[in-house]
Amino acid sequence: MVSLNNNSRVLSGMRPTGQLHLGHYHGVLKNWVKLQQEFDCFFFVADWHALTTHYEESHIIAESVWDMVIDWLAAGVNPGSAQLFIQSQVPEHAELHLLLSMVTPLGWLERVPSYKDQQEKLRERDLATYGFLGYPLLQSADILIYGADKVPVGEDQVAHVELTREVARRFNHIYGREAGFEEAAEAAIKKMGKKNAKLFRQLMKRYQEQGEHDAVEVAHALLKEQQNLALSDRERLLGYLEGGGRVILMEPSALLTPASKMPGLDGQKMSKSYNNTISLREDPDAVQEKLRTMPTDPARVRRTDPGNPKVCPVWQLHEVYSNDEVKDWVQEGCTTAGIGCLDCKQPIIEAVLNELKPIQERAREFEQDSGRVRAIINEGSEAARDVARQTLDEVRQVMGLKY
Ligand code: TRP
Ligand code: SF4
């Protein structure tokens, strides 16, 4: 059987918040680096998203964009395998956002959990804006414009992917039922040749009559294989298969990224707002200093006091960086006061410095060659625009906006 993965497209965005830290690296970037080897990936700087909350400090966004891109590149995100671009360089996102807004019920946006949560969390900002309410829909446009079927997100963003699916479904329902849809779909089936047409009909029946979801997957793969089906026919058949209209916007699914286990220096989640980070471009001496002075088991006051790794932030770092042998050594040494806390931290210091070394070397190269960084983004933005334009052309067409 053909694998669907060959053609799977992944899309993800990150808000420009300045230099990235080890939490971003372990939580997001390592995952992107892996995904870019398997899928057709689009990664973008979500500068408009940042404006929805930071519209009063827009200069921070502009300053952060290049730092963030350099950190992506330094972490191993490869412009040869993924398209890297800036959201606002692809204004097609905005047009799709506008067009989708016409069919999106207000209640769907008001019910997105992050809407109220964020308003409460960011009290100091006035988030009773049109842009903030619409930001999950902007995210839907980001996803749908590339026909991305996989969206790597954290738990907090799953509801946005869910909204995207609903918006796509509604859009397809309203605009996918062109006159003569069934006849066109039947004609498209015939174009696949006798054998495949028969197989397609069987799969359609298995899904529609027995609700077999596997049959849909196999049928999708079959459609992807058909060289002589035009894109529009394929979209018709995708919809016809499930008993609906033509699929103009494809429903994505969330690729849940496991919550990062990367603790900050104080044992809480690593985050700039907790001031407990090690940034990817942190000077090695500062890294050492930060780790040497980070808190340990508070009950272990003297070197001779035994400690308890369970309540120690350093232990959490061992969970990320150390093998079983080192971890056994910590458990034994800590609970018997056999080792001191500085001894205990040494393997972490080495591991973090080792991890950061190649990242920092690459970052330095890119820092010194801002022309190259700009070229990467320009090329990525152009490539993204090509795809985005095609989707938008079709969207305009089915909405009757082709003059
Ligand atoms: N909303 C995401 C965040 O705040 C960023 C984002 C914007 C995104 N558009 C996206 C993520 C599309 C995945 C797909 O982190
Ligand atoms: Fe924490 Fe290690 Fe010190 Fe134990 S020995 S308290 S685990 S730093």
Side-chain angles (χ1 to χ4, degrees), residues 260-281:
S260 162
K261 293 212 184 67
M262 187 67 202
L265 293 163
D266 55 0
Q268 298 186 79
K269 181 184 148 125
M270 188 178 277
S271 158
K272 212 162 71 182
S273 49
Y274 298 146
N275 201 11
N276 63 359
T277 63
I278 293 178
S279 79
L280 293 184
R281 283 186 259 168

Side-chain angles (χ1 to χ4, degrees), residues 12 73 119 154 167 210 263:
S12 200
L73 294 167
Q119 276 187 337
V167 170
Q210 272 108 42

Side-chain angles (χ1 to χ4, degrees), residues 88-150:
S88 64
Q89 306 269 70
V90 188
E92 284 77 6
H93 290 226
E95 185 176 338
L96 184 60
H97 177 210
L98 174 87
L99 295 175
L100 294 177
S101 77
M102 307 300 171
V103 302
T104 305
L106 209 43
W108 289 10
L109 293 172
E110 287 163 342
R111 277 197 299 273
V112 172
S114 60
Y115 181 55
K116 293 234 159 59
D117 288 358
Q118 290 291 99
Q119 276 187 337
E120 270 165 33
K121 227 160 101 194
L122 303 174
R123 282 236 164 156
E124 72 284 4
R125 303 179 191 281
D126 180 3
L127 293 183
T129 57
Y130 181 50
F132 186 70
L133 176 68
Y135 120 80
L137 188 63
L138 177 58
Q139 184 164 353
S140 298
D142 300 337
I143 297 167
L144 295 172
I145 208 160
Y146 299 105
D149 46 356
K150 291 192 168 52

